[in-house]
mmCIF file of all heavy atoms in Angstrom:
data_model
loop_
_atom_site.group_PDB
_atom_site.id
_atom_site.type_symbol
_atom_site.label_atom_id
_atom_site.label_comp_id
_atom_site.label_asym_id
_atom_site.label_seq_id
_atom_site.Cartn_x
_atom_site.Cartn_y
_atom_site.Cartn_z
ATOM 1 N N ARG A 1 103.474 -0.769 -60.990
ATOM 2 C CA ARG A 1 102.906 0.500 -60.412
ATOM 3 C C ARG A 1 101.887 1.075 -61.329
ATOM 4 O O ARG A 1 100.841 1.665 -60.911
ATOM 5 C CB ARG A 1 104.007 1.454 -60.028
ATOM 6 C CG ARG A 1 103.555 2.768 -59.545
ATOM 7 C CD ARG A 1 104.672 3.661 -58.977
ATOM 8 N NE ARG A 1 105.602 4.098 -59.998
ATOM 9 C CZ ARG A 1 105.347 5.148 -60.776
ATOM 10 N NH1 ARG A 1 104.150 5.880 -60.610
ATOM 11 N NH2 ARG A 1 106.175 5.495 -61.812
ATOM 12 N N ALA A 2 102.127 0.952 -62.567
ATOM 13 C CA ALA A 2 101.126 1.441 -63.614
ATOM 14 C C ALA A 2 99.818 0.927 -63.501
ATOM 15 O O ALA A 2 98.786 1.569 -63.481
ATOM 16 C CB ALA A 2 101.647 1.393 -64.960
ATOM 17 N N GLU A 3 99.802 -0.490 -63.319
ATOM 18 C CA GLU A 3 98.484 -1.168 -63.137
ATOM 19 C C GLU A 3 97.774 -0.720 -61.874
ATOM 20 O O GLU A 3 96.604 -0.407 -61.846
ATOM 21 C CB GLU A 3 98.815 -2.696 -63.196
ATOM 22 C CG GLU A 3 97.353 -3.419 -62.931
ATOM 23 C CD GLU A 3 97.746 -4.892 -62.609
ATOM 24 O OE1 GLU A 3 98.821 -5.400 -62.632
ATOM 25 O OE2 GLU A 3 96.804 -5.636 -62.407
ATOM 26 N N LEU A 4 98.552 -0.724 -60.788
ATOM 27 C CA LEU A 4 97.913 -0.326 -59.480
ATOM 28 C C LEU A 4 97.403 1.050 -59.614
ATOM 29 O O LEU A 4 96.146 1.288 -59.128
ATOM 30 C CB LEU A 4 98.951 -0.382 -58.385
ATOM 31 C CG LEU A 4 98.577 0.090 -56.922
ATOM 32 C CD1 LEU A 4 97.482 -0.910 -56.429
ATOM 33 C CD2 LEU A 4 99.797 0.224 -56.092
ATOM 34 N N GLU A 5 98.065 1.999 -60.098
ATOM 35 C CA GLU A 5 97.624 3.411 -60.180
ATOM 36 C C GLU A 5 96.440 3.482 -61.120
ATOM 37 O O GLU A 5 95.506 4.303 -60.857
ATOM 38 C CB GLU A 5 98.734 4.305 -60.659
ATOM 39 C CG GLU A 5 99.782 4.508 -59.649
ATOM 40 C CD GLU A 5 100.906 5.516 -59.959
ATOM 41 O OE1 GLU A 5 100.836 5.921 -61.164
ATOM 42 O OE2 GLU A 5 101.734 5.895 -59.220
ATOM 43 N N ALA A 6 96.347 2.757 -62.225
ATOM 44 C CA ALA A 6 95.369 2.750 -63.111
ATOM 45 C C ALA A 6 94.026 2.245 -62.424
ATOM 46 O O ALA A 6 92.993 2.820 -62.718
ATOM 47 C CB ALA A 6 95.580 1.885 -64.413
ATOM 48 N N LYS A 7 94.074 1.179 -61.649
ATOM 49 C CA LYS A 7 92.974 0.674 -60.954
ATOM 50 C C LYS A 7 92.463 1.585 -59.930
ATOM 51 O O LYS A 7 91.238 1.853 -59.712
ATOM 52 C CB LYS A 7 93.295 -0.644 -60.331
ATOM 53 C CG LYS A 7 93.364 -1.808 -61.381
ATOM 54 C CD LYS A 7 93.637 -3.012 -60.532
ATOM 55 C CE LYS A 7 93.623 -4.286 -61.732
ATOM 56 N NZ LYS A 7 93.857 -5.608 -61.055
ATOM 57 N N LEU A 8 93.388 2.371 -59.229
ATOM 58 C CA LEU A 8 92.967 3.413 -58.219
ATOM 59 C C LEU A 8 92.350 4.485 -58.907
ATOM 60 O O LEU A 8 91.364 5.035 -58.383
ATOM 61 C CB LEU A 8 94.167 3.676 -57.364
ATOM 62 C CG LEU A 8 94.735 2.571 -56.547
ATOM 63 C CD1 LEU A 8 96.210 2.940 -56.030
ATOM 64 C CD2 LEU A 8 93.760 2.321 -55.354
ATOM 65 N N LYS A 9 92.848 4.979 -60.097
ATOM 66 C CA LYS A 9 92.349 5.991 -60.724
ATOM 67 C C LYS A 9 90.855 5.727 -61.259
ATOM 68 O O LYS A 9 89.885 6.554 -61.201
ATOM 69 C CB LYS A 9 93.087 6.482 -61.922
ATOM 70 C CG LYS A 9 94.384 7.173 -61.620
ATOM 71 C CD LYS A 9 95.192 7.503 -62.939
ATOM 72 C CE LYS A 9 96.470 8.223 -62.745
ATOM 73 N NZ LYS A 9 97.269 8.547 -63.913
ATOM 74 N N ALA A 10 90.670 4.450 -61.655
ATOM 75 C CA ALA A 10 89.340 4.058 -62.112
ATOM 76 C C ALA A 10 88.401 3.971 -61.021
ATOM 77 O O ALA A 10 87.253 4.182 -61.221
ATOM 78 C CB ALA A 10 89.497 2.590 -62.815
ATOM 79 N N ALA A 11 88.800 3.859 -59.653
ATOM 80 C CA ALA A 11 87.937 3.817 -58.652
ATOM 81 C C ALA A 11 87.615 5.219 -58.244
ATOM 82 O O ALA A 11 86.585 5.432 -57.319
ATOM 83 C CB ALA A 11 88.678 3.154 -57.361
ATOM 84 N N GLY A 12 88.237 6.338 -58.769
ATOM 85 C CA GLY A 12 87.875 7.625 -58.527
ATOM 86 C C GLY A 12 88.945 8.544 -57.900
ATOM 87 O O GLY A 12 88.824 9.763 -57.747
ATOM 88 N N PHE A 13 89.979 7.954 -57.505
ATOM 89 C CA PHE A 13 91.168 8.618 -56.750
ATOM 90 C C PHE A 13 91.934 9.469 -57.642
ATOM 91 O O PHE A 13 92.054 9.182 -58.771
ATOM 92 C CB PHE A 13 92.069 7.627 -56.079
ATOM 93 C CG PHE A 13 91.429 6.959 -54.854
ATOM 94 C CD1 PHE A 13 91.060 5.568 -55.009
ATOM 95 C CD2 PHE A 13 91.279 7.579 -53.635
ATOM 96 C CE1 PHE A 13 90.573 4.879 -53.956
ATOM 97 C CE2 PHE A 13 90.788 6.880 -52.591
ATOM 98 C CZ PHE A 13 90.388 5.575 -52.697
ATOM 99 N N PHE A 14 92.393 10.625 -57.030
ATOM 100 C CA PHE A 14 93.546 11.315 -57.552
ATOM 101 C C PHE A 14 94.750 10.670 -57.124
ATOM 102 O O PHE A 14 94.962 10.570 -55.861
ATOM 103 C CB PHE A 14 93.563 12.867 -57.220
ATOM 104 C CG PHE A 14 92.324 13.658 -57.748
ATOM 105 C CD1 PHE A 14 91.686 14.430 -56.980
ATOM 106 C CD2 PHE A 14 91.999 13.460 -59.109
ATOM 107 C CE1 PHE A 14 90.733 15.200 -57.532
ATOM 108 C CE2 PHE A 14 91.005 14.286 -59.667
ATOM 109 C CZ PHE A 14 90.279 15.154 -58.769
ATOM 110 N N VAL A 15 95.671 10.332 -57.950
ATOM 111 C CA VAL A 15 96.988 9.709 -57.626
ATOM 112 C C VAL A 15 98.024 10.743 -57.428
ATOM 113 O O VAL A 15 98.308 11.462 -58.311
ATOM 114 C CB VAL A 15 97.343 8.564 -58.604
ATOM 115 C CG1 VAL A 15 98.715 7.949 -58.271
ATOM 116 C CG2 VAL A 15 96.215 7.471 -58.685
ATOM 117 N N GLY A 16 98.645 10.662 -56.242
ATOM 118 C CA GLY A 16 99.756 11.496 -55.939
ATOM 119 C C GLY A 16 101.127 10.882 -56.018
ATOM 120 O O GLY A 16 101.451 10.015 -56.894
ATOM 121 N N PRO A 17 102.064 11.376 -55.006
ATOM 122 C CA PRO A 17 103.372 10.760 -55.105
ATOM 123 C C PRO A 17 103.478 9.334 -54.698
ATOM 124 O O PRO A 17 102.522 8.780 -54.247
ATOM 125 C CB PRO A 17 104.168 11.649 -54.024
ATOM 126 C CG PRO A 17 103.073 12.057 -53.101
ATOM 127 C CD PRO A 17 101.772 12.271 -53.933
ATOM 128 N N HIS A 18 104.703 8.709 -55.123
ATOM 129 C CA HIS A 18 104.932 7.341 -54.726
ATOM 130 C C HIS A 18 106.364 7.211 -54.317
ATOM 131 O O HIS A 18 107.125 8.104 -54.644
ATOM 132 C CB HIS A 18 104.639 6.362 -55.953
ATOM 133 C CG HIS A 18 105.686 6.481 -56.995
ATOM 134 N ND1 HIS A 18 105.623 7.474 -57.891
ATOM 135 C CD2 HIS A 18 106.755 5.706 -57.182
ATOM 136 C CE1 HIS A 18 106.653 7.297 -58.710
ATOM 137 N NE2 HIS A 18 107.374 6.199 -58.268
ATOM 138 N N HIS A 19 106.725 6.083 -53.642
ATOM 139 C CA HIS A 19 108.104 5.769 -53.266
ATOM 140 C C HIS A 19 108.152 4.138 -53.098
ATOM 141 O O HIS A 19 107.113 3.555 -52.951
ATOM 142 C CB HIS A 19 108.648 6.521 -52.102
ATOM 143 C CG HIS A 19 107.859 6.256 -50.902
ATOM 144 N ND1 HIS A 19 108.200 5.112 -49.997
ATOM 145 C CD2 HIS A 19 106.922 6.865 -50.202
ATOM 146 C CE1 HIS A 19 107.348 5.207 -49.018
ATOM 147 N NE2 HIS A 19 106.470 6.205 -48.959
ATOM 148 N N HIS A 20 109.418 3.791 -52.959
ATOM 149 C CA HIS A 20 109.580 2.299 -52.678
ATOM 150 C C HIS A 20 110.246 2.183 -51.304
ATOM 151 O O HIS A 20 110.848 3.145 -50.872
ATOM 152 C CB HIS A 20 110.573 1.648 -53.664
ATOM 153 C CG HIS A 20 109.925 1.607 -55.175
ATOM 154 N ND1 HIS A 20 109.872 2.604 -55.964
ATOM 155 C CD2 HIS A 20 109.343 0.515 -55.685
ATOM 156 C CE1 HIS A 20 109.200 2.274 -57.015
ATOM 157 N NE2 HIS A 20 108.981 1.073 -56.962
ATOM 158 N N ALA A 21 110.026 1.170 -50.663
ATOM 159 C CA ALA A 21 110.594 0.883 -49.302
ATOM 160 C C ALA A 21 111.141 -0.470 -49.133
ATOM 161 O O ALA A 21 110.691 -1.469 -49.812
ATOM 162 C CB ALA A 21 109.450 1.210 -48.254
ATOM 163 N N HIS A 22 111.926 -0.644 -48.100
ATOM 164 C CA HIS A 22 112.350 -1.925 -47.666
ATOM 165 C C HIS A 22 113.334 -2.753 -48.507
ATOM 166 O O HIS A 22 113.229 -3.991 -48.737
ATOM 167 C CB HIS A 22 111.293 -2.733 -47.049
ATOM 168 C CG HIS A 22 110.317 -2.119 -46.259
ATOM 169 N ND1 HIS A 22 110.648 -1.270 -45.223
ATOM 170 C CD2 HIS A 22 108.907 -2.147 -46.171
ATOM 171 C CE1 HIS A 22 109.561 -0.806 -44.629
ATOM 172 N NE2 HIS A 22 108.484 -1.268 -45.123
ATOM 173 N N ALA A 23 114.282 -1.975 -49.191
ATOM 174 C CA ALA A 23 115.137 -2.723 -50.177
ATOM 175 C C ALA A 23 115.935 -3.853 -49.491
ATOM 176 O O ALA A 23 116.177 -4.842 -50.055
ATOM 177 C CB ALA A 23 116.094 -1.641 -50.805
ATOM 178 N N LEU A 24 116.359 -3.581 -48.299
ATOM 179 C CA LEU A 24 117.133 -4.656 -47.551
ATOM 180 C C LEU A 24 116.328 -5.858 -47.239
ATOM 181 O O LEU A 24 116.941 -6.914 -46.949
ATOM 182 C CB LEU A 24 117.722 -4.131 -46.310
ATOM 183 C CG LEU A 24 118.811 -2.963 -46.420
ATOM 184 C CD1 LEU A 24 119.398 -2.619 -45.017
ATOM 185 C CD2 LEU A 24 119.932 -3.344 -47.379
ATOM 186 N N HIS A 25 115.029 -5.774 -47.273
ATOM 187 C CA HIS A 25 114.312 -7.068 -47.017
ATOM 188 C C HIS A 25 114.035 -7.895 -48.204
ATOM 189 O O HIS A 25 113.658 -9.081 -48.121
ATOM 190 C CB HIS A 25 112.824 -6.542 -46.506
ATOM 191 C CG HIS A 25 112.932 -5.893 -45.065
ATOM 192 N ND1 HIS A 25 112.385 -6.691 -44.029
ATOM 193 C CD2 HIS A 25 113.464 -4.916 -44.564
ATOM 194 C CE1 HIS A 25 112.634 -6.073 -42.879
ATOM 195 N NE2 HIS A 25 113.294 -4.927 -43.163
ATOM 196 N N ALA A 26 114.180 -7.291 -49.393
ATOM 197 C CA ALA A 26 114.020 -8.061 -50.706
ATOM 198 C C ALA A 26 114.939 -9.224 -50.612
ATOM 199 O O ALA A 26 114.591 -10.400 -50.951
ATOM 200 C CB ALA A 26 114.138 -7.205 -51.879
ATOM 201 N N PRO A 27 116.303 -9.132 -50.405
ATOM 202 C CA PRO A 27 117.115 -10.299 -50.493
ATOM 203 C C PRO A 27 116.763 -11.409 -49.558
ATOM 204 O O PRO A 27 116.997 -12.605 -49.702
ATOM 205 C CB PRO A 27 118.590 -9.645 -50.245
ATOM 206 C CG PRO A 27 118.454 -8.320 -50.677
ATOM 207 C CD PRO A 27 117.053 -7.834 -50.263
ATOM 208 N N TYR A 28 116.249 -11.008 -48.283
ATOM 209 C CA TYR A 28 115.729 -11.932 -47.321
ATOM 210 C C TYR A 28 114.719 -12.964 -47.952
ATOM 211 O O TYR A 28 114.799 -14.062 -47.754
ATOM 212 C CB TYR A 28 115.285 -11.319 -46.016
ATOM 213 C CG TYR A 28 114.598 -12.202 -45.034
ATOM 214 C CD1 TYR A 28 115.471 -13.099 -44.355
ATOM 215 C CD2 TYR A 28 113.295 -12.200 -44.765
ATOM 216 C CE1 TYR A 28 114.866 -13.889 -43.416
ATOM 217 C CE2 TYR A 28 112.756 -13.032 -43.948
ATOM 218 C CZ TYR A 28 113.470 -13.961 -43.238
ATOM 219 O OH TYR A 28 112.783 -14.808 -42.367
ATOM 220 N N TRP A 29 113.895 -12.286 -48.605
ATOM 221 C CA TRP A 29 112.777 -13.064 -49.140
ATOM 222 C C TRP A 29 113.219 -13.935 -50.307
ATOM 223 O O TRP A 29 112.711 -15.021 -50.603
ATOM 224 C CB TRP A 29 111.530 -12.228 -49.586
ATOM 225 C CG TRP A 29 110.740 -11.897 -48.297
ATOM 226 C CD1 TRP A 29 110.724 -10.671 -47.575
ATOM 227 C CD2 TRP A 29 109.850 -12.803 -47.608
ATOM 228 N NE1 TRP A 29 109.953 -10.715 -46.526
ATOM 229 C CE2 TRP A 29 109.362 -12.044 -46.488
ATOM 230 C CE3 TRP A 29 109.474 -14.155 -47.759
ATOM 231 C CZ2 TRP A 29 108.550 -12.706 -45.496
ATOM 232 C CZ3 TRP A 29 108.699 -14.626 -46.925
ATOM 233 C CH2 TRP A 29 108.178 -13.827 -45.768
ATOM 234 N N TRP A 30 114.232 -13.471 -51.129
ATOM 235 C CA TRP A 30 114.746 -14.208 -52.169
ATOM 236 C C TRP A 30 115.432 -15.485 -51.545
ATOM 237 O O TRP A 30 115.418 -16.595 -52.001
ATOM 238 C CB TRP A 30 115.831 -13.445 -53.027
ATOM 239 C CG TRP A 30 115.149 -12.264 -53.649
ATOM 240 C CD1 TRP A 30 113.718 -12.207 -54.031
ATOM 241 C CD2 TRP A 30 115.751 -11.080 -54.104
ATOM 242 N NE1 TRP A 30 113.547 -10.989 -54.594
ATOM 243 C CE2 TRP A 30 114.737 -10.367 -54.752
ATOM 244 C CE3 TRP A 30 117.115 -10.574 -54.114
ATOM 245 C CZ2 TRP A 30 115.051 -8.987 -55.232
ATOM 246 C CZ3 TRP A 30 117.313 -9.349 -54.669
ATOM 247 C CH2 TRP A 30 116.298 -8.575 -55.200
ATOM 248 N N ILE A 31 116.142 -15.198 -50.432
ATOM 249 C CA ILE A 31 116.828 -16.282 -49.770
ATOM 250 C C ILE A 31 115.821 -17.377 -49.282
ATOM 251 O O ILE A 31 115.897 -18.589 -49.504
ATOM 252 C CB ILE A 31 117.688 -15.929 -48.563
ATOM 253 C CG1 ILE A 31 118.916 -15.011 -49.109
ATOM 254 C CG2 ILE A 31 118.129 -16.927 -47.754
ATOM 255 C CD1 ILE A 31 119.592 -14.318 -48.004
ATOM 256 N N LYS A 32 114.676 -16.847 -48.646
ATOM 257 C CA LYS A 32 113.652 -17.728 -48.119
ATOM 258 C C LYS A 32 113.080 -18.530 -49.190
ATOM 259 O O LYS A 32 112.785 -19.793 -49.121
ATOM 260 C CB LYS A 32 112.573 -16.864 -47.399
ATOM 261 C CG LYS A 32 113.051 -16.269 -46.131
ATOM 262 C CD LYS A 32 112.852 -17.116 -45.052
ATOM 263 C CE LYS A 32 111.311 -17.331 -44.607
ATOM 264 N NZ LYS A 32 111.095 -18.321 -43.541
ATOM 265 N N CYS A 33 112.780 -17.905 -50.286
ATOM 266 C CA CYS A 33 112.176 -18.601 -51.518
ATOM 267 C C CYS A 33 113.087 -19.689 -52.085
ATOM 268 O O CYS A 33 112.620 -20.734 -52.504
ATOM 269 C CB CYS A 33 111.758 -17.625 -52.554
ATOM 270 S SG CYS A 33 110.323 -16.621 -52.175
ATOM 271 N N ALA A 34 114.328 -19.410 -51.993
ATOM 272 C CA ALA A 34 115.399 -20.302 -52.481
ATOM 273 C C ALA A 34 115.691 -21.574 -51.550
ATOM 274 O O ALA A 34 115.730 -22.734 -52.144
ATOM 275 C CB ALA A 34 116.727 -19.663 -52.746
ATOM 276 N N VAL A 35 115.589 -21.386 -50.315
ATOM 277 C CA VAL A 35 115.741 -22.420 -49.335
ATOM 278 C C VAL A 35 114.506 -23.149 -48.808
ATOM 279 O O VAL A 35 114.581 -24.136 -48.230
ATOM 280 C CB VAL A 35 116.738 -22.044 -48.189
ATOM 281 C CG1 VAL A 35 117.973 -21.382 -48.710
ATOM 282 C CG2 VAL A 35 115.940 -21.078 -47.211
ATOM 283 N N GLY A 36 113.382 -22.487 -49.024
ATOM 284 C CA GLY A 36 112.145 -22.958 -48.429
ATOM 285 C C GLY A 36 111.504 -21.880 -47.640
ATOM 286 O O GLY A 36 112.070 -21.553 -46.565
ATOM 287 N N THR A 37 110.372 -21.546 -47.917
ATOM 288 C CA THR A 37 109.682 -20.413 -47.195
ATOM 289 C C THR A 37 109.459 -20.833 -45.679
ATOM 290 O O THR A 37 109.261 -19.755 -44.899
ATOM 291 C CB THR A 37 108.340 -19.864 -47.879
ATOM 292 O OG1 THR A 37 107.451 -21.121 -48.061
ATOM 293 C CG2 THR A 37 108.584 -19.496 -49.326
ATOM 294 N N SER A 38 109.242 -21.972 -45.335
ATOM 295 C CA SER A 38 109.072 -22.336 -44.063
ATOM 296 C C SER A 38 110.274 -22.719 -43.140
ATOM 297 O O SER A 38 110.312 -23.070 -42.115
ATOM 298 C CB SER A 38 108.058 -23.395 -43.892
ATOM 299 O OG SER A 38 108.548 -24.605 -44.703
ATOM 300 N N ASP A 39 111.453 -22.608 -43.823
ATOM 301 C CA ASP A 39 112.727 -23.079 -43.225
ATOM 302 C C ASP A 39 113.368 -21.774 -42.566
ATOM 303 O O ASP A 39 114.366 -21.277 -43.057
ATOM 304 C CB ASP A 39 113.648 -23.742 -44.302
ATOM 305 C CG ASP A 39 114.867 -24.242 -43.624
ATOM 306 O OD1 ASP A 39 114.957 -24.207 -42.331
ATOM 307 O OD2 ASP A 39 115.633 -24.854 -44.238
ATOM 308 N N ASP A 40 112.862 -21.367 -41.375
ATOM 309 C CA ASP A 40 113.368 -20.185 -40.701
ATOM 310 C C ASP A 40 114.650 -20.495 -40.153
ATOM 311 O O ASP A 40 115.497 -19.561 -39.783
ATOM 312 C CB ASP A 40 112.405 -19.777 -39.648
ATOM 313 C CG ASP A 40 111.172 -19.197 -40.210
ATOM 314 O OD1 ASP A 40 111.148 -18.703 -41.318
ATOM 315 O OD2 ASP A 40 110.104 -19.306 -39.455
ATOM 316 N N ASP A 41 115.072 -21.743 -39.953
ATOM 317 C CA ASP A 41 116.334 -22.153 -39.310
ATOM 318 C C ASP A 41 117.485 -22.298 -40.296
ATOM 319 O O ASP A 41 118.605 -22.714 -39.847
ATOM 320 C CB ASP A 41 116.138 -23.377 -38.539
ATOM 321 C CG ASP A 41 115.202 -23.258 -37.347
ATOM 322 O OD1 ASP A 41 115.131 -22.176 -36.785
ATOM 323 O OD2 ASP A 41 114.472 -24.281 -37.060
ATOM 324 N N HIS A 42 117.207 -22.208 -41.605
ATOM 325 C CA HIS A 42 118.400 -22.441 -42.560
ATOM 326 C C HIS A 42 119.408 -21.340 -42.135
ATOM 327 O O HIS A 42 119.127 -20.140 -41.869
ATOM 328 C CB HIS A 42 117.943 -22.126 -43.940
ATOM 329 C CG HIS A 42 118.959 -22.264 -44.919
ATOM 330 N ND1 HIS A 42 119.871 -21.421 -45.287
ATOM 331 C CD2 HIS A 42 119.216 -23.545 -45.677
ATOM 332 C CE1 HIS A 42 120.737 -21.960 -46.244
ATOM 333 N NE2 HIS A 42 120.247 -23.190 -46.518
#
């Protein structure tokens, strides 16, 4: 987040609040990466 905000500040923006989203989706992608990203039928 620090890198992203630094680049946006360098572009001229005032940086305001932030938050994170979709925690329940992270394990799905870990599973997909472990079994094969194209293996939707696993």
Side-chain angles (χ1 to χ4, degrees):
R1 180 170 62 85
E3 177 192 359
L4 177 65
E5 290 185 348
K7 288 183 173 182
L8 292 165
K9 287 179 181 179
F13 288 105
F14 291 139
V15 175
H18 74 275
H19 63 82
H20 292 78
H22 311 315
L24 295 183
H25 288 252
Y28 172 71
W29 282 103
W30 298 338
I31 293 168
K32 289 274 288 179
C33 288
V35 303
T37 57
S38 58
D39 189 359
D40 295 333
D41 295 325
H42 187 280

